[in-house]
């Protein structure tokens, strides 16, 4: 596992309870922050308000839209802004997309998994765009002294049908910033037949950068003074570190530090050894190669614990023993299977087995961390940034609001990046090593 350790970078943020704020952009501009009812995934609990999107309108008519979910190659960084842009009634060629920071209070659910990005965000983000469009209409009506009913929007401009006058969104931005945002529950959404962006083939916003090898992924992050760390862990889940030759490693070329970190099995929010800090040895060096060379000279003794006795053969034997028993729980039960089999003239029975699958992503697990003065900044290719923040905060003993998470593009996920181990390791190493290392 490769971990970057970097000096702290300045974080940014917007008040969690801000309903509408005007951004002091150079030359004037409009920043729309909307609270939306929190749209929960099926089966989740709780409810609340969450700010789901930012729309920034520049004086030249360029519209910047933030994509709130992690991008792991499924296209949501392009798709989610499309929902907003279509209802806002702007031309896609005039849209610029930014990746949002991780903030579950501000943006609502931010995760990649289960193919839920479209159904969860379909209506809420459309309403954000429709509300912004309504504010532009109101600003134009006030400017011209005409009823809103006489106005129409198209391609990032407002037109007054009776006189033919038009004003671009960029020209209206300052006035629109003074308009009270409408009730998102009552804004009028487009008829699907009027969509100009939704449902149309749009190239991925990052595609040119991906194919030309530009830095986009977590492993691409580089900052001045950055060091590299490797975290050696027990090859058996749940294993404990007994001893390691960390002092000997410190004298190796390019090695800045080497130390043991102890895990915490009871950290809040953890769901297992892949979602918390476990015992390990951190090696901090001037480059990944030097850290890797030092790991080759690491002498470590592990207490592998009871899990070391687990195996595919034991699991297969346990499955064979359990298959003759009544189910422990029914997920779905339709009819009486046992009775039907008892009446059958012929019963065909077969056993199927498959091994554990490695969720091996093309981009190795990695994270960049900067801890300073009790605050932490992370650059993480994560599928579940809010979970990362909670587990890291509990591990380091700091408040979640003192952690800024930049979501980088993920080089594959398969659910593996839904865990928090790589983020916790980077954070803990950065705190222990200091900044700079």
């Amino acid at each position: 596992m490769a971990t970057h350790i970097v000096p702290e970078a300045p974080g940014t943020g917007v008040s969690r309870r801000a309903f509408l704020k005007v951004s002091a952009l150079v030359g004037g501009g409009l920043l729309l922050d909307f609270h939306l009812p929190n749209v929960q995934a099926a089966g989740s609990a709780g409810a609340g308000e969450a700010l789901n999107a930012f729309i920034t309108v520049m004086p030249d008519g360029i519209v910047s839209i933030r994509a709130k979910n992690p991008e792991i190659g499924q296209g949501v960084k392009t798709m989610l802004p499309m929902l907003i842009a279509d209802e806002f009634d702007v031309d896609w060629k005039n849209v610029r997309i930014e990746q949002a920071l991780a903030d579950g209070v501000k943006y609502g659910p931010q995760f990649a998994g289960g193919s839920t990005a479209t159904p969860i965000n379909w209506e809420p983000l459309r309403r954000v765009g429709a509300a912004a469009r309504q504010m532009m209409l109101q600003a134009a009506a006030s400017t011209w002294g005409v009823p809103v009913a006489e106005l129409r929007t198209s391609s990032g401009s407002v037109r007054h049908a009776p006189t033919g006058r038009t004003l671009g969104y960029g020209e209206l931005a300052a006035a629109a910033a003074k308009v009270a945002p409408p009730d998102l529950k009552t804004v009028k959404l487009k008829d699907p037949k009027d969509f100009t962006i939704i449902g149309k083939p749009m190239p991925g916003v990052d595609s040119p950068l991906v194919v030309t090898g530009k830095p986009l992924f977590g492993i691409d992050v580089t900052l001045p003074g950055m060091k590299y760390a490797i975290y050696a862990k027990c090859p058996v889940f749940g294993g404990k570190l007994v001893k390691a030759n960390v002092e000997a490693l410190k004298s190796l070329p390019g090695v800045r530090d080497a130390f043991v970190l102890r895990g915490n099995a009871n950290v809040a929010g953890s769901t297992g050894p892949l979602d918390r800090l476990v015992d390990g040895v951190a090696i901090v060096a001037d480059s990944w190669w030097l850290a890797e060379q030092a790991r080759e000279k690491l002498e470590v003794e592990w207490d592998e614990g009871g899990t070391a006795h687990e195996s595919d053969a034991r699991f297969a034997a346990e499955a064979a023993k359990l298959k003759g028993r009544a189910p422990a729980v029914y997920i779905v039960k339709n009819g009486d299977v046992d009775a039907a089999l008892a009446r059958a003239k012929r019963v065909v029975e077969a056993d199927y087995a498959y091994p554990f699958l490695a969720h091996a992503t093309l981009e190795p697990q990695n994270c960049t961390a900067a801890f300073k003065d009790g605050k932490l900044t992370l650059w993480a290719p994560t599928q579940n940034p809010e979970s990362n923040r909670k587990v890291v905060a509990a591990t380091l003993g700091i408040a979640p609001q003192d952690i800024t998470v930049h979501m980088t593009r993920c080089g594959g996920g398969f659910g593996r990046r839904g865990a928090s181990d790589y983020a916790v390791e980077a954070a803990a190493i950065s705190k222990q090593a200091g900044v700079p290392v």
Side-chain angles (χ1 to χ4, degrees):
M1 183 268 177
T3 301
H4 299 168
I5 302 178
V6 300
E8 183 183 32
T12 59
V14 178
S15 170
R16 296 182 177 188
R17 295 298 175 185
F19 192 80
L20 174 68
K21 287 193 177 217
V22 181
S23 177
L25 301 171
V26 176
L30 172 64
L31 174 65
L32 299 176
D33 293 0
F34 292 112
H35 276 290
L36 289 180
N38 192 4
V39 181
Q40 299 289 335
S44 62
E49 287 189 338
L51 178 60
N52 273 323
F54 288 124
I55 302 175
T56 305
V57 181
M58 302 304 292
D60 61 0
I62 295 298
V63 178
S64 178
I65 301 177
R66 287 188 177 182
K68 74 183 192 70
N69 278 15
E71 174 60 82
I72 62 172
Q74 78 281 44
V76 298
K77 188 175 177 181
T78 303
M79 181 276 292
L80 295 177
M82 287 172 64
L83 302 178
I84 298 171
D86 205 327
E87 292 288 353
F88 192 32
D89 227 352
V90 293
D91 289 337
W92 188 245
K93 63 182 177 63
N94 292 328
V95 172
R96 305 293 181 264
I97 298 175
E98 303 174 28
Q99 181 67 64
L101 293 175
D103 190 329
V105 174
K106 182 186 295 182
Y107 297 105
Q110 288 178 286
F111 63 91
S115 301
T116 56
T118 302
I120 286 178
N121 295 288
W122 169 254
E123 184 173 318
L125 292 191
R126 286 179 61 200
R127 289 190 177 278
V128 166
R133 183 180 74 242
Q134 183 63 34
M135 294 173 72
M136 287 295 178
L137 288 169
Q138 187 60 56
S142 298
T143 299
W144 287 325
V146 300
V148 171
E150 295 181 357
L151 303 178
R152 297 292 182 271
T153 61
S154 177
S155 299
S157 65
V158 180
R159 183 175 185 272
H160 183 230
T163 63
R165 289 177 291 181
T166 62
L167 281 172
Y169 282 180
E171 299 172 280
L172 289 167
K178 301 174 184 177
V179 175
D183 183 349
L184 295 179
K185 297 178 182 178
T186 63
V187 294
K188 183 179 180 181
L189 299 177
K190 281 186 175 182
D191 187 306
K193 67 179 178 56
D194 296 324
F195 288 158
T196 59
I197 296 174
I198 295 173
K200 304 297 188 293
M202 298 294 177
V205 62
D206 286 341
S207 295
L209 303 178
V210 171
V211 299
T212 55
K214 295 297 189 295
L216 279 173
F217 301 89
I219 208 164
D220 294 326
V221 174
T222 56
L223 292 175
M226 185 174 76
K227 304 301 176 183
Y228 294 81
I230 283 176
Y231 195 57
K233 297 175 286 187
C234 182
V236 176
F237 283 140
K240 302 291 186 182
L241 186 143
V242 178
K243 61 182 179 179
N245 64 332
V246 291
E247 291 302 321
L249 300 181
K250 294 179 183 180
S251 62
L252 295 176
V255 174
R256 298 296 176 174
D257 205 352
F259 47 84
V260 169
L261 288 175
R262 293 294 180 180
N264 182 353
N266 301 313
V267 65
S270 170
T271 59
L274 281 180
D275 209 34
R276 58 177 171 85
L277 184 68
V278 299
D279 281 11
V281 178
I283 304 172
V284 181
D286 290 333
S287 71
W288 175 86
W289 177 251
L290 291 172
E292 180 64 19
Q293 290 299 294
R295 176 159 59 175
E296 293 295 324
K297 295 179 172 58
L298 173 64
E299 297 175 6
V300 60
E301 180 183 341
W302 302 104
D303 175 4
E304 296 182 342
T307 312
H309 303 295
E310 303 290 3
S311 67
D312 284 348
R314 199 198 74 75
F315 293 151
E318 184 70 10
K321 182 171 64 175
L322 292 174
K323 81 169 186 176
R325 300 180 185 176
V329 62
Y330 283 96
I331 299 175
V332 176
K333 186 175 182 180
N334 294 323
D336 190 336
V337 174
D338 293 332
L341 290 174
R343 295 193 302 268
K345 293 182 178 180
R346 183 185 180 193
V347 175
V348 178
E349 185 175 330
D351 293 332
Y352 298 89
Y354 57 88
F356 281 105
L357 302 178
H359 285 196
T361 57
L362 185 61
E363 177 192 16
Q365 301 304 101
N366 69 91
C367 183
T368 302
F371 184 89
K372 187 176 182 181
D373 298 331
K375 297 183 184 297
L376 177 73
T377 304
L378 295 175
W379 289 261
T382 172
Q383 290 180 247
N384 199 348
E386 199 58 31
S387 176
N388 291 175
R389 188 205 304 276
K390 291 176 181 177
V391 176
V392 169
T395 301
L396 299 191
I398 62 177
Q401 59 265 30
D402 287 332
I403 301 176
T404 300
V405 182
H406 298 267
M407 294 183 289
T408 67
R409 188 179 176 99
C410 302
F414 316 120
R416 176 62 181 89
R417 297 190 191 276
S420 301
D421 56 331
Y422 49 93
V424 174
E425 290 161 9
I429 293 171
S430 179
K431 181 179 180 182
Q432 176 76 15
V435 177
V437 292

